[in-house]
Amino acid sequence: YWHELKRTKREELLLNQAKTVRLDYTSSQMNIIYAWHNKTNMADEDQYLIKGYNRKLTKQMHILMLNNSTTKKTTLAFMGWLENPKNRKLYYLNKEFKKNPFNLYELQKLIRKKHQSVAHVFYRTKVGMNVQYLESCLIFEVAVQLFRRGIPCLTCHDEIIVPRKDEGEAREVMYSTYIDKKLYKAEF
């Protein structure tokens, strides 16, 4: 049931009558791509930051570039996302964008430049789904490792919820768990 709770409500969850903490990976999708290509553990580095741009906007652009086949389709998907009247959370981002518009093709170019070593993954529609699959495998593996250490946890998307007293050990497990290419099949 916790998957359906809002983020703020998940912060109130108790595990074994203990207050919990939510731990999630920084820029999980891009860091998974780097970890996969470089055969390393996940990095705690914000890959979505682009100087001079709102992080929420650049994060969404990264995700759309992993799930659309061209720059034009990515741009159209971005504008559709930003102008979605059903999503009230985007109201202020949309307002900010209209007040200070920027070239969406230029932002995509900056993102590709920042991620030159893995830029080939953009505009390949299967990549987004493969990264989501690897992300779920990684979270599941972290949950298994925590269970083996006797640490109760819940998973929610790219997030682990653990008792506060176990935060340090859980974070250590998160960033030392490796995505083994021999165990998981993904193309990108």
Side-chain angles (χ1 to χ4, degrees), residues 65-150:
M65 289 170 68
L66 294 172
N67 288 284
N68 285 283
S69 59
T70 66
T71 57
K72 185 175 182 177
K73 287 180 180 179
T74 300
T75 298
L76 293 171
F78 183 88
M79 290 309 298
W81 167 79
L82 189 59
E83 295 174 350
N84 183 348
K86 293 180 182 177
N87 194 340
R88 298 190 76 221
K89 291 180 190 175
L90 298 177
Y91 174 79
Y92 291 104
L93 283 176
N94 191 4
K95 198 172 179 179
E96 177 185 326
F97 180 76
K98 285 182 178 178
K99 185 177 175 183
N100 297 307
F102 53 85
N103 185 319
L104 296 175
Y105 293 101
E106 183 62 29
L107 175 57
Q108 291 175 66
K109 185 177 176 183
L110 290 171
I111 290 170
R112 289 191 309 270
K113 184 178 178 182
K114 176 178 179 162
H115 303 293
Q116 286 179 6
S117 66
V118 294
H120 65 279
V121 302
F122 295 121
Y123 313 116
R124 293 177 56 204
T125 55
K126 287 185 178 181
V127 170
M129 294 299 284
N130 279 296
V131 172
Q132 289 175 25
Y133 164 72
L134 289 174
E135 183 178 58
S136 66
C137 293
L138 179 63
I139 288 295
F140 181 75
E141 182 61 32
V142 168
V144 168
Q145 295 301 324
L146 292 172
F147 173 78
R148 289 179 176 156
R149 293 176 180 221

